[in-house]
Amino acid sequence: KTKELIGLEALIRWVDPTQGVISPLTFIPLAEETGMIGKIGDWVIRKACEESAWLQDAGFPHVKVAINVSAYQFRHGDHLCKVIEESLALTKLRADCFSVELTESILIEDVESTVAELKRLKALGITLAIDDFGTGYSSLSYLKRFPIDILKIDQSFIRDILVDENDKAIVTAIIAMAHELGLTVLAEGVETTEHRNFLVQQHCDFAQGYLYCKPKPAAELLEFWKADSLVL
Ligand code: CA
Ligand code: CA
């Protein structure tokens, strides 16, 4: 409604000199299998902080950068917390400019230790979000127990929101429920102004998707923004 830019999501791509851009769908499962996901995850956190600090220094708005966290990273004691804390300190990025996205399947695994880990992350002053909401267990009871800030509605519900009555009902219900629980709602996969208008009508707080910008390297994003191409 206010057309204000509130954040970015950091996405990983592997650029190989001969094969070109390799999709994370190809290499992330392999990285998880081999345990390399731990090192890659640490690198992503550091890189997201560095590039955000760089963007801000170059005049980009001071908005949040969100990173995606794997089960491996989330279930590794206080390592995740330490890496985030170190990266923020090193890059001087403010904690309120950093957000962590976790899927339902990661959170539901061991509720007691999940609550403890989320509290530890929350104490850093960062934002916590549930990713791809609606595709996993969508348990309402844990939404109340976990110190979560943002609910991200999965893109599969948004795509046909104007024509599919079920999707419309599900999204409307998620927004209302999340607001009742004091959560902020973000809709993923927003591709058209019709999507956006519907979501504004339903009082959805935030939207993300190709309507605004396709994924870009940080330097390109800066140029895109400077050229006033970011249509909100
Ligand atoms: Ca995500
Ligand atoms: Ca997502």
Side-chain angles (χ1 to χ4, degrees), residues 12-24 26-27 217:
I12 191 166
R13 298 290 182 272
W14 178 359
V15 184
D16 182 87
T18 51
Q19 296 185 61
V21 179
I22 302 171
S23 163
T26 309
F27 67 85

Side-chain angles (χ1 to χ4, degrees), residues 60-91:
F60 198 83
H62 289 221
V63 296
K64 286 183 204 300
V65 63
I67 57 138
N68 295 283
V69 158
S70 68
Y72 182 93
Q73 289 169 282
F74 191 67
R75 301 282 173 212
H76 239 75
D78 61 356
H79 182 77
L80 178 62
C81 232
K82 276 191 177 150
V83 173
I84 294 173
E85 201 172 16
E86 280 169 14
S87 299
L88 291 173
L90 207 80
T91 59

Side-chain angles (χ1 to χ4, degrees), residues 9 11 68 101 103 130-133 152-155 186 188-189 208:
E9 180 172 353
L11 301 174
N68 295 283
E101 299 189 357
T103 58
I130 297 191
D131 206 2
D132 308 337
F133 187 78
K152 295 187 76 175
I153 305 176
D154 188 67
Q155 52 185 330
L186 185 155
E188 297 186 282
Q208 163 181 355

Side-chain angles (χ1 to χ4, degrees), residues 165-183:
E165 290 301 322
N166 289 329
D167 285 346
K168 206 180 273 189
I170 289 168
V171 169
T172 306
I174 292 176
I175 294 170
M177 173 201 70
H179 283 164
E180 283 297 319
L181 291 167
L183 298 168

